[in-house]
Amino acid sequence: MFYYLNVIGTMAFAVSASLTAMNKKLDPFGVFVIAFATSVGGGTLRDVLIGYTPVGWMRDLNVVYFIIAGFALAVIFRKKLDKLRVSLFLFDTIGLGVFTLIGIERGIATGLHPVICVALGTMTACFGGVIRDILCNEIPVIFRKEIYATLCIVGGIIFFTIRNNFDINQDLLYILVSAIIIVLRLLAVRYKWYLAPLDRY
Amino acid sequence: MFYYLNVIGTMAFAVSASLTAMNKKLDPFGVFVIAFATSVGGGTLRDVLIGYTPVGWMRDLNVVYFIIAGFALAVIFRKKLDKLRVSLFLFDTIGLGVFTLIGIERGIATGLHPVICVALGTMTACFGGVIRDILCNEIPVIFRKEIYATLCIVGGIIFFTIRNNFDINQDLLYILVSAIIIVLRLLAVRYKWYLAPLDRY
Amino acid sequence: MFYYLNVIGTMAFAVSASLTAMNKKLDPFGVFVIAFATSVGGGTLRDVLIGYTPVGWMRDLNVVYFIIAGFALAVIFRKKLDKLRVSLFLFDTIGLGVFTLIGIERGIATGLHPVICVALGTMTACFGGVIRDILCNEIPVIFRKEIYATLCIVGGIIFFTIRNNFDINQDLLYILVSAIIIVLRLLAVRYKWYLAPLDRY
């Protein structure tokens, strides 16, 4: 089931990144690269930093095909997708929760410290968007407005707190913490939680 | 012979990137870094993603020396190079064709799927320019105007189509497909082929 | 002792990057990521390029804690730090010298050619700042104004000149060359040394 959630998240990232890139007037190749980099960028950076190479999407071609599908859907339905904003937001949020746990899992499998694992989870979920914004020549949105990444960190802390104190089934724990991150994100957007910039003067 | 074409391509990339950076009023160190990153950036990203480390230019110092030579030539003749625009464009196009095949070859040597090999070829040829544009704080030109990268993908598909269906000498195949990419690029510029952005409204 | 200098440099990089990010009105998460990327970005790029993975800060958590401390100090004292500009500049300069030597050492330990080792030293000291500027959507400052990176290259050349010609204690050599880079940087700022852009017309 987790694998299917991963697929949903990957496609949602590809679709929403394609829309961003089309709004920026990029050509189809540019749109595809942005979609690809946003979907797998976080996980790719993670794999490179821990030395898990060739990186993930080179080993599981399904990832590539799902991104191509997400890109194609976004291009074909580009004039109608604004009506699906709510669904897209939901899928994107599922991606956020699932990607965080995938990053944490990869960190544990590599034998890294929990602090690093939480960082890897956050990176997996958020850095695709950072790469997208850099390629589109903007200051990354997650550094300015949203508490997106903070929720991944909170989720990661909850994960290790539960894991170290309770005897819980691994799969159940992944689903549970993903769900917590997803709910927190929905609450955050609903109630406009954000981190205020720090005034210097 | 392929090795010499590679050298011509590397130097051409270094020269044209140096000109771009000088036009941006960067200081000589900045110009050199841009020249270096443009020339080897695509191949370096490829090597990092597939885990071929230390990356290529650390193993073959000749690459470093040719880039230094290209940088030096660009600096010395910086007031006269606009007259050589056509030659530079030709060398740059040779680089495009040769780098694509080098990337594909590295992918095959790593045992990766043809789809990934084509992606690696395109990355090798095109991502140096993406890195250059990011360092110069612009939206990468290949995402906006030129069909540059699309030609690499087409070349890669032709490569595997021939390879899987004909019993052809490996070296000959490399030269042939490089030549096809080079000719396509010349035609593309001559006849102003481009990919139109996708209107959303 | 070298380890303590490294810590001072890391914290100084974290503090000054945090100030830059706060001036850009980023939120606390954005400030932290910029602080982190600036402090370890150069060394991380180096480790990835030479294949030393998981990268350094994943193996030595102290680095992570010192960056968190530098970030926290910068946030808490954000309204008073402008008064400490001179001290901060000094610590930053210590970081420049020490990081260069750490990068050179890592290159030697990997068995790379002196030219590559000098490049790795420069990368370790300077590319955190390049990553910071890219994340903040600016053309990297070291490409435009300061001779920052050139001093690392000069220091690296001095290092190998002494190492190949004199029978000197390794630790002493590290301290000596770090000190030379630090003094050169102080002189450079004091006497406004810079590299002029190259006019093309």
Coordinates of all heavy atoms in Angstrom, one line a residue, chain B residues 29-113:
Chain B
F29 N 38.1 35.1 -11.7 CA 37.8 33.9 -11.0 C 36.4 33.4 -11.4 O 36.2 32.2 -11.7 CB 38.0 34.0 -9.5 CG 37.6 32.8 -8.8 CD1 38.4 31.7 -8.7 CD2 36.3 32.7 -8.1 CE1 38.0 30.5 -8.1 CE2 35.9 31.5 -7.5 CZ 36.8 30.4 -7.4
G30 N 35.4 34.3 -11.3 CA 34.1 33.9 -11.7 C 34.0 33.4 -13.1 O 33.3 32.4 -13.3
V31 N 34.7 34.0 -14.0 CA 34.6 33.6 -15.4 C 35.2 32.1 -15.5 O 34.6 31.3 -16.2 CB 35.5 34.5 -16.3 CG1 35.6 34.0 -17.7 CG2 34.8 35.9 -16.3
F32 N 36.3 31.9 -14.8 CA 36.9 30.6 -14.8 C 35.9 29.5 -14.3 O 35.8 28.4 -14.8 CB 38.2 30.5 -14.1 CG 38.8 29.2 -14.1 CD1 39.3 28.6 -15.3 CD2 38.9 28.4 -13.0 CE1 39.9 27.4 -15.3 CE2 39.4 27.1 -13.0 CZ 39.9 26.6 -14.2
V33 N 35.3 29.8 -13.1 CA 34.4 28.8 -12.5 C 33.3 28.5 -13.5 O 32.9 27.4 -13.6 CB 33.9 29.3 -11.1 CG1 32.8 28.3 -10.6 CG2 35.1 29.3 -10.2
I34 N 32.7 29.6 -14.1 CA 31.6 29.4 -15.0 C 32.1 28.5 -16.2 O 31.4 27.6 -16.6 CB 31.1 30.7 -15.5 CG1 30.6 31.6 -14.4 CG2 30.0 30.5 -16.6 CD1 29.3 31.3 -13.8
A35 N 33.3 28.8 -16.7 CA 33.8 28.0 -17.8 C 33.9 26.6 -17.4 O 33.6 25.6 -18.2 CB 35.1 28.6 -18.3
F36 N 34.5 26.4 -16.2 CA 34.7 25.0 -15.8 C 33.4 24.3 -15.6 O 33.2 23.1 -16.0 CB 35.5 25.0 -14.4 CG 36.2 23.8 -14.1 CD1 37.5 23.6 -14.6 CD2 35.5 22.8 -13.5 CE1 38.1 22.4 -14.3 CE2 36.2 21.6 -13.2 CZ 37.5 21.4 -13.6
A37 N 32.5 24.9 -14.9 CA 31.2 24.3 -14.5 C 30.4 24.0 -15.8 O 29.7 22.9 -15.9 CB 30.4 25.1 -13.6
T38 N 30.5 24.8 -16.8 CA 29.7 24.6 -18.0 C 30.3 23.4 -18.8 O 29.6 22.6 -19.3 CB 29.8 25.9 -18.9 OG1 29.3 27.0 -18.1 CG2 28.9 25.7 -20.1
S39 N 31.7 23.4 -18.8 CA 32.3 22.3 -19.6 C 32.1 20.9 -19.0 O 31.9 20.0 -19.7 CB 33.8 22.6 -19.7 OG 34.0 23.9 -20.3
V40 N 32.3 20.8 -17.7 CA 32.2 19.5 -17.1 C 31.0 19.3 -16.2 O 30.8 18.2 -15.7 CB 33.5 19.2 -16.2 CG1 34.8 19.3 -17.0 CG2 33.5 20.1 -15.0
G41 N 30.1 20.3 -16.1 CA 29.0 20.2 -15.2 C 28.1 19.0 -15.5 O 27.6 18.3 -14.6
G42 N 27.7 18.9 -16.8 CA 26.8 17.8 -17.2 C 27.4 16.4 -16.9 O 26.8 15.6 -16.3
G43 N 28.7 16.2 -17.3 CA 29.3 15.0 -17.0 C 29.5 14.7 -15.5 O 29.5 13.5 -15.1
T44 N 29.8 15.8 -14.8 CA 30.0 15.6 -13.4 C 28.7 15.2 -12.7 O 28.7 14.3 -11.8 CB 30.5 16.9 -12.7 OG1 31.7 17.2 -13.4 CG2 30.7 16.8 -11.3
L45 N 27.6 15.8 -13.0 CA 26.3 15.4 -12.5 C 26.0 14.0 -12.8 O 25.6 13.2 -11.9 CB 25.2 16.3 -13.0 CG 23.8 16.0 -12.6 CD1 23.6 16.2 -11.1 CD2 22.8 16.9 -13.3
R46 N 26.3 13.6 -14.1 CA 26.1 12.2 -14.5 C 26.9 11.3 -13.6 O 26.4 10.3 -13.1 CB 26.5 12.0 -15.9 CG 26.4 10.6 -16.5 CD 27.3 10.5 -17.7 NE 28.7 10.7 -17.3 CZ 29.7 11.3 -18.1 NH1 29.3 11.7 -19.3 NH2 30.9 11.4 -17.7
D47 N 28.2 11.6 -13.4 CA 29.1 10.7 -12.7 C 28.6 10.6 -11.2 O 28.6 9.5 -10.6 CB 30.5 11.2 -12.7 CG 31.2 11.0 -14.1 OD1 30.6 10.2 -14.9 OD2 32.2 11.5 -14.3
V48 N 28.2 11.7 -10.6 CA 27.7 11.7 -9.3 C 26.5 10.8 -9.1 O 26.3 10.0 -8.2 CB 27.4 13.1 -8.8 CG1 26.6 13.1 -7.5 CG2 28.8 13.8 -8.5
L49 N 25.5 10.9 -10.1 CA 24.3 10.2 -10.0 C 24.4 8.7 -10.2 O 23.7 7.9 -9.6 CB 23.3 10.7 -11.0 CG 22.8 12.2 -10.8 CD1 21.7 12.5 -11.9 CD2 22.2 12.4 -9.4
I50 N 25.4 8.3 -11.0 CA 25.6 6.9 -11.2 C 26.7 6.3 -10.2 O 26.9 5.1 -10.1 CB 26.0 6.5 -12.6 CG1 27.4 7.1 -13.0 CG2 24.9 6.9 -13.6 CD1 27.8 6.7 -14.4
G51 N 27.3 7.2 -9.4 CA 28.3 6.7 -8.4 C 29.7 6.5 -9.0 O 30.4 5.7 -8.4
Y52 N 30.0 7.1 -10.1 CA 31.3 6.9 -10.7 C 32.2 8.0 -10.1 O 32.4 9.1 -10.7 CB 31.2 7.1 -12.2 CG 32.5 6.9 -13.0 CD1 33.0 5.7 -13.3 CD2 33.2 8.1 -13.5 CE1 34.2 5.5 -14.0 CE2 34.4 7.9 -14.2 CZ 34.9 6.7 -14.5 OH 36.0 6.6 -15.2
T53 N 32.9 7.7 -9.0 CA 33.6 8.8 -8.3 C 35.0 8.2 -8.0 O 35.2 7.0 -7.8 CB 33.0 9.2 -7.0 OG1 32.7 8.0 -6.2 CG2 31.7 10.0 -7.2
P54 N 36.1 9.1 -7.8 CA 36.1 10.5 -8.1 C 35.6 10.8 -9.5 O 35.9 10.0 -10.4 CB 37.5 11.0 -7.9 CG 38.2 9.9 -7.1 CD 37.4 8.7 -7.3
V55 N 34.9 11.9 -9.7 CA 34.3 12.2 -11.0 C 35.3 12.3 -12.1 O 36.5 12.6 -11.8 CB 33.4 13.4 -10.9 CG1 32.2 13.2 -10.0 CG2 34.2 14.6 -10.5
G56 N 34.8 12.2 -13.4 CA 35.7 12.1 -14.5 C 36.9 13.1 -14.6 O 38.0 12.7 -14.8
W57 N 36.7 14.4 -14.4 CA 37.8 15.4 -14.6 C 38.8 15.3 -13.5 O 39.9 15.8 -13.6 CB 37.2 16.8 -14.7 CG 36.4 17.3 -13.5 CD1 35.0 17.2 -13.5 CD2 36.8 17.9 -12.3 NE1 34.5 17.7 -12.3 CE2 35.6 18.2 -11.6 CE3 38.0 18.3 -11.8 CZ2 35.6 18.8 -10.3 CZ3 38.0 19.0 -10.6 CH2 36.9 19.2 -9.9
M58 N 38.5 14.6 -12.4 CA 39.6 14.3 -11.4 C 40.5 13.2 -11.8 O 41.6 13.1 -11.3 CB 38.9 14.0 -10.0 CG 38.1 15.1 -9.5 SD 37.6 14.8 -7.8 CE 36.6 16.3 -7.5
R59 N 40.1 12.4 -12.7 CA 40.9 11.2 -13.2 C 41.6 11.6 -14.4 O 42.6 10.9 -14.7 CB 39.9 10.1 -13.5 CG 39.1 9.6 -12.3 CD 38.1 8.5 -12.8 NE 37.2 8.2 -11.7 CZ 36.9 6.9 -11.5 NH1 37.3 5.9 -12.2 NH2 36.1 6.6 -10.5
D60 N 41.1 12.5 -15.3 CA 41.8 12.8 -16.5 C 42.1 14.3 -16.5 O 41.3 15.2 -16.9 CB 40.9 12.5 -17.7 CG 41.6 12.8 -19.0 OD1 42.8 13.2 -19.0 OD2 40.9 12.6 -20.1
L61 N 43.3 14.6 -16.0 CA 43.7 16.1 -15.8 C 43.7 16.8 -17.2 O 43.7 18.0 -17.2 CB 45.0 16.2 -15.1 CG 45.0 16.2 -13.6 CD1 46.3 16.2 -13.0 CD2 44.2 17.4 -13.2
N62 N 43.9 16.1 -18.3 CA 43.9 16.8 -19.6 C 42.6 17.6 -19.7 O 42.7 18.7 -20.3 CB 43.9 15.7 -20.7 CG 45.3 15.2 -20.8 OD1 46.3 15.8 -20.5 ND2 45.4 13.9 -21.3
V63 N 41.5 17.1 -19.2 CA 40.3 17.9 -19.3 C 40.4 19.2 -18.6 O 40.1 20.3 -19.2 CB 39.1 17.1 -18.6 CG1 37.8 18.0 -18.6 CG2 38.8 15.8 -19.3
V64 N 41.1 19.2 -17.5 CA 41.3 20.5 -16.7 C 42.2 21.4 -17.5 O 41.9 22.6 -17.6 CB 41.9 20.2 -15.3 CG1 42.2 21.4 -14.6 CG2 41.0 19.3 -14.5
Y65 N 43.2 20.9 -18.1 CA 44.1 21.7 -18.9 C 43.5 22.3 -20.1 O 43.7 23.5 -20.4 CB 45.4 21.0 -19.2 CG 46.2 20.4 -18.0 CD1 46.8 19.2 -18.0 CD2 46.3 21.2 -16.9 CE1 47.5 18.7 -16.9 CE2 46.9 20.8 -15.7 CZ 47.5 19.5 -15.8 OH 48.2 19.1 -14.7
F66 N 42.6 21.5 -20.8 CA 42.0 22.1 -22.0 C 41.0 23.2 -21.6 O 40.8 24.1 -22.3 CB 41.3 20.9 -22.7 CG 42.2 20.2 -23.6 CD1 42.5 18.8 -23.3 CD2 42.9 20.8 -24.7 CE1 43.4 18.1 -24.1 CE2 43.8 20.1 -25.4 CZ 44.1 18.8 -25.2
I67 N 40.4 23.0 -20.4 CA 39.4 24.1 -20.0 C 40.2 25.3 -19.7 O 39.8 26.4 -20.1 CB 38.6 23.6 -18.8 CG1 37.7 22.5 -19.2 CG2 37.8 24.8 -18.3 CD1 37.0 21.8 -18.1
I68 N 41.3 25.2 -19.0 CA 42.2 26.3 -18.7 C 42.6 27.0 -20.0 O 42.6 28.2 -20.1 CB 43.4 25.9 -17.9 CG1 42.9 25.4 -16.5 CG2 44.4 27.1 -17.7 CD1 44.1 24.9 -15.6
A69 N 43.0 26.2 -21.0 CA 43.4 26.7 -22.3 C 42.2 27.5 -23.0 O 42.4 28.6 -23.5 CB 43.9 25.6 -23.2
G70 N 41.0 26.9 -22.9 CA 39.9 27.6 -23.5 C 39.5 28.9 -22.8 O 39.3 29.9 -23.5
F71 N 39.6 28.9 -21.5 CA 39.4 30.1 -20.7 C 40.4 31.1 -21.1 O 40.1 32.3 -21.3 CB 39.5 29.7 -19.2 CG 39.8 30.8 -18.3 CD1 38.7 31.7 -18.0 CD2 41.0 31.0 -17.7 CE1 38.9 32.8 -17.1 CE2 41.2 32.1 -16.8 CZ 40.2 33.0 -16.5
A72 N 41.7 30.7 -21.2 CA 42.8 31.7 -21.5 C 42.6 32.3 -22.9 O 42.7 33.5 -23.1 CB 44.2 31.0 -21.4
L73 N 42.3 31.4 -23.8 CA 42.0 31.9 -25.2 C 40.9 33.0 -25.2 O 41.0 34.0 -25.8 CB 41.6 30.8 -26.1 CG 42.8 29.9 -26.5 CD1 42.3 28.7 -27.3 CD2 43.8 30.7 -27.3
A74 N 39.8 32.6 -24.4 CA 38.6 33.5 -24.4 C 39.0 34.9 -23.8 O 38.6 35.9 -24.3 CB 37.5 32.9 -23.7
V75 N 39.8 34.8 -22.8 CA 40.2 36.1 -22.1 C 41.1 36.9 -23.0 O 40.9 38.1 -23.2 CB 40.9 35.8 -20.8 CG1 41.6 37.0 -20.2 CG2 39.9 35.2 -19.8
I76 N 42.1 36.2 -23.6 CA 43.1 37.0 -24.4 C 42.4 37.6 -25.7 O 42.6 38.7 -26.0 CB 44.2 36.0 -24.9 CG1 45.0 35.6 -23.6 CG2 45.2 36.7 -25.9 CD1 46.0 34.4 -23.9
F77 N 41.6 36.8 -26.3 CA 40.9 37.3 -27.6 C 39.5 37.8 -27.3 O 38.7 37.8 -28.2 CB 41.0 36.1 -28.6 CG 42.3 35.7 -29.0 CD1 42.8 34.5 -28.6 CD2 43.2 36.5 -29.7 CE1 44.1 34.1 -28.9 CE2 44.4 36.2 -30.1 CZ 44.9 34.9 -29.6
R78 N 39.2 38.3 -26.1 CA 37.9 38.6 -25.8 C 37.3 39.7 -26.7 O 36.1 39.7 -26.8 CB 37.7 38.9 -24.3 CG 38.4 40.2 -23.9 CD 38.3 40.3 -22.4 NE 39.0 41.5 -21.8 CZ 40.3 41.6 -21.6 NH1 41.1 40.6 -21.8 NH2 40.8 42.7 -21.1
K79 N 38.1 40.5 -27.2 CA 37.6 41.6 -28.0 C 37.4 41.3 -29.5 O 36.9 42.0 -30.3 CB 38.5 42.9 -27.9 CG 38.5 43.3 -26.4 CD 39.2 44.7 -26.2 CE 39.3 44.9 -24.7 NZ 39.4 46.3 -24.4
K80 N 37.9 40.1 -29.8 CA 37.8 39.7 -31.2 C 36.9 38.5 -31.5 O 36.7 38.1 -32.6 CB 39.2 39.3 -31.7 CG 40.1 40.6 -31.7 CD 41.6 40.2 -32.0 CE 42.5 41.4 -31.7 NZ 43.9 41.0 -31.5
L81 N 36.5 37.8 -30.4 CA 35.8 36.5 -30.6 C 34.4 36.6 -31.3 O 34.0 35.7 -31.8 CB 35.7 35.8 -29.3 CG 37.0 35.0 -28.9 CD1 36.9 34.5 -27.5 CD2 37.2 33.9 -29.9
D82 N 33.8 37.8 -31.2 CA 32.5 37.9 -31.8 C 32.6 37.6 -33.3 O 31.6 37.2 -33.9 CB 31.9 39.3 -31.6 CG 31.4 39.4 -30.1 OD1 31.2 38.3 -29.5 OD2 31.3 40.5 -29.6
K83 N 33.8 37.9 -33.9 CA 34.0 37.6 -35.3 C 34.0 36.1 -35.6 O 33.8 35.7 -36.8 CB 35.3 38.3 -35.8 CG 35.1 39.8 -35.9 CD 36.5 40.4 -36.3 CE 36.5 41.9 -35.9 NZ 37.8 42.3 -35.5
L84 N 34.3 35.3 -34.6 CA 34.4 33.9 -34.8 C 33.2 33.2 -34.4 O 33.2 32.0 -34.1 CB 35.6 33.3 -34.0 CG 37.0 33.8 -34.4 CD1 38.0 33.3 -33.5 CD2 37.3 33.3 -35.8
R85 N 32.1 33.9 -34.3 CA 30.8 33.3 -33.8 C 30.4 32.1 -34.5 O 30.0 31.1 -33.9 CB 29.7 34.3 -33.9 CG 29.3 34.9 -32.5 CD 27.9 35.6 -32.6 NE 27.3 35.6 -33.9 CZ 26.7 36.7 -34.3 NH1 26.5 37.8 -33.5 NH2 26.1 36.7 -35.5
V86 N 30.6 32.1 -35.8 CA 30.2 30.9 -36.6 C 31.1 29.7 -36.2 O 30.6 28.6 -36.0 CB 30.2 31.2 -38.1 CG1 29.9 29.9 -38.8 CG2 29.2 32.3 -38.4
S87 N 32.4 29.9 -36.1 CA 33.3 28.7 -35.8 C 32.9 28.2 -34.4 O 32.8 27.0 -34.1 CB 34.7 29.2 -35.8 OG 35.0 30.0 -36.9
L88 N 32.7 29.2 -33.5 CA 32.4 28.8 -32.1 C 31.1 28.0 -32.0 O 31.0 27.0 -31.3 CB 32.2 30.0 -31.2 CG 33.5 30.5 -30.5 CD1 33.2 31.8 -29.7 CD2 33.9 29.4 -29.5
F89 N 30.1 28.4 -32.8 CA 28.9 27.7 -32.8 C 29.1 26.3 -33.4 O 28.5 25.3 -32.8 CB 27.9 28.5 -33.7 CG 26.7 27.7 -34.0 CD1 25.7 27.4 -33.1 CD2 26.5 27.1 -35.3 CE1 24.6 26.7 -33.4 CE2 25.4 26.3 -35.6 CZ 24.4 26.1 -34.7
L90 N 29.9 26.1 -34.4 CA 30.2 24.8 -34.9 C 30.9 23.9 -33.9 O 30.5 22.8 -33.7 CB 31.2 24.9 -36.1 CG 30.4 25.2 -37.5 CD1 31.5 25.3 -38.6 CD2 29.5 24.0 -37.8
F91 N 31.9 24.4 -33.2 CA 32.6 23.6 -32.2 C 31.6 23.2 -31.1 O 31.6 22.1 -30.6 CB 33.8 24.4 -31.6 CG 34.9 24.6 -32.6 CD1 35.8 25.7 -32.4 CD2 35.1 23.7 -33.6 CE1 36.8 25.8 -33.3 CE2 36.1 23.9 -34.5 CZ 37.0 24.9 -34.4
D92 N 30.8 24.2 -30.7 CA 29.8 24.0 -29.6 C 28.9 22.8 -30.0 O 28.5 22.0 -29.2 CB 29.0 25.3 -29.4 CG 28.2 25.2 -28.1 OD1 28.7 25.5 -27.1 OD2 27.0 24.9 -28.3
T93 N 28.5 22.8 -31.3 CA 27.6 21.8 -31.8 C 28.3 20.4 -31.8 O 27.7 19.4 -31.5 CB 27.1 22.2 -33.2 OG1 26.4 23.4 -33.1 CG2 26.2 21.2 -33.8
I94 N 29.6 20.4 -32.2 CA 30.3 19.2 -32.1 C 30.3 18.7 -30.7 O 30.1 17.5 -30.4 CB 31.8 19.4 -32.6 CG1 31.8 19.7 -34.1 CG2 32.7 18.2 -32.3 CD1 33.2 20.1 -34.7
G95 N 30.5 19.6 -29.7 CA 30.5 19.2 -28.3 C 29.1 18.5 -28.0 O 29.1 17.5 -27.3
L96 N 28.0 19.1 -28.4 CA 26.7 18.6 -28.2 C 26.6 17.2 -28.6 O 26.1 16.3 -27.9 CB 25.7 19.5 -28.9 CG 24.2 19.1 -28.7 CD1 23.7 19.5 -27.3 CD2 23.3 19.7 -29.8
G97 N 27.0 16.9 -29.9 CA 26.9 15.5 -30.4 C 27.8 14.6 -29.7 O 27.3 13.5 -29.3
V98 N 29.0 15.0 -29.4 CA 30.0 14.0 -28.8 C 29.6 13.8 -27.4 O 29.7 12.6 -26.9 CB 31.4 14.6 -29.0 CG1 32.4 13.7 -28.2 CG2 31.8 14.7 -30.4
F99 N 29.3 14.8 -26.6 CA 29.0 14.6 -25.2 C 27.8 13.7 -25.0 O 27.7 12.9 -24.1 CB 28.7 16.0 -24.6 CG 29.9 16.8 -24.2 CD1 31.1 16.6 -24.9 CD2 29.8 17.8 -23.3 CE1 32.2 17.4 -24.5 CE2 30.9 18.6 -23.0 CZ 32.1 18.4 -23.6
T100 N 26.8 13.8 -25.9 CA 25.6 12.9 -25.8 C 26.0 11.5 -25.9 O 25.6 10.7 -25.0 CB 24.6 13.2 -27.0 OG1 24.3 14.6 -27.0 CG2 23.4 12.4 -26.8
L101 N 26.9 11.2 -26.8 CA 27.3 9.8 -27.0 C 28.2 9.3 -25.8 O 28.1 8.2 -25.4 CB 28.1 9.6 -28.3 CG 27.2 9.3 -29.5 CD1 26.6 7.9 -29.3 CD2 26.0 10.3 -29.7
I102 N 29.0 10.2 -25.3 CA 29.8 9.9 -24.1 C 28.9 9.5 -22.9 O 29.2 8.5 -22.2 CB 30.8 11.0 -23.8 CG1 31.9 11.1 -24.8 CG2 31.4 10.8 -22.4 CD1 32.8 12.4 -24.7
G103 N 27.9 10.3 -22.8 CA 27.0 10.0 -21.7 C 26.2 8.7 -21.8 O 26.1 7.9 -20.9
I104 N 25.8 8.4 -23.1 CA 25.1 7.1 -23.3 C 26.1 6.0 -23.1 O 25.7 5.0 -22.4 CB 24.6 7.1 -24.8 CG1 23.5 8.1 -25.0 CG2 24.2 5.7 -25.2 CD1 23.0 8.2 -26.4
E105 N 27.3 6.1 -23.5 CA 28.3 5.1 -23.3 C 28.5 4.8 -21.9 O 28.6 3.6 -21.4 CB 29.6 5.5 -24.0 CG 30.7 4.4 -24.0 CD 32.1 5.0 -24.3 OE1 32.3 6.2 -24.0 OE2 32.9 4.3 -24.9
R106 N 28.7 5.8 -21.1 CA 28.9 5.6 -19.6 C 27.7 4.9 -19.0 O 27.9 4.1 -18.1 CB 29.1 7.0 -18.9 CG 29.5 7.0 -17.5 CD 30.9 6.4 -17.2 NE 32.0 7.0 -17.9 CZ 32.6 8.1 -17.5 NH1 32.3 8.7 -16.4 NH2 33.6 8.6 -18.3
G107 N 26.5 5.2 -19.4 CA 25.3 4.6 -18.9 C 25.3 3.1 -19.3 O 25.0 2.2 -18.4
I108 N 25.7 2.7 -20.5 CA 25.7 1.3 -20.9 C 26.8 0.6 -20.1 O 26.6 -0.5 -19.6 CB 26.1 1.2 -22.4 CG1 24.9 1.8 -23.3 CG2 26.4 -0.2 -22.8 CD1 25.2 1.9 -24.8
A109 N 27.9 1.2 -19.9 CA 29.0 0.6 -19.1 C 28.6 0.4 -17.7 O 29.1 -0.5 -17.0 CB 30.3 1.5 -19.2
T110 N 27.7 1.2 -17.2 CA 27.2 1.0 -15.8 C 26.0 0.0 -15.8 O 25.6 -0.4 -14.7 CB 26.7 2.3 -15.2 OG1 27.7 3.3 -15.5 CG2 26.5 2.3 -13.7
G111 N 25.6 -0.5 -17.0 CA 24.6 -1.5 -17.0 C 23.2 -1.0 -16.8 O 22.3 -1.7 -16.3
L112 N 23.0 0.3 -17.2 CA 21.7 0.9 -17.0 C 20.7 0.7 -18.2 O 21.2 0.4 -19.3 CB 21.8 2.4 -16.6 CG 22.6 2.7 -15.3 CD1 23.0 4.1 -15.2 CD2 21.8 2.2 -14.1
H113 N 19.5 0.9 -17.9 CA 18.4 0.7 -19.0 C 18.6 1.8 -20.0 O 18.9 2.9 -19.7 CB 17.1 0.8 -18.3 CG 15.9 0.5 -19.1 ND1 15.4 1.4 -20.0 CD2 15.2 -0.6 -19.3 CE1 14.3 0.8 -20.7 NE2 14.2 -0.4 -20.2

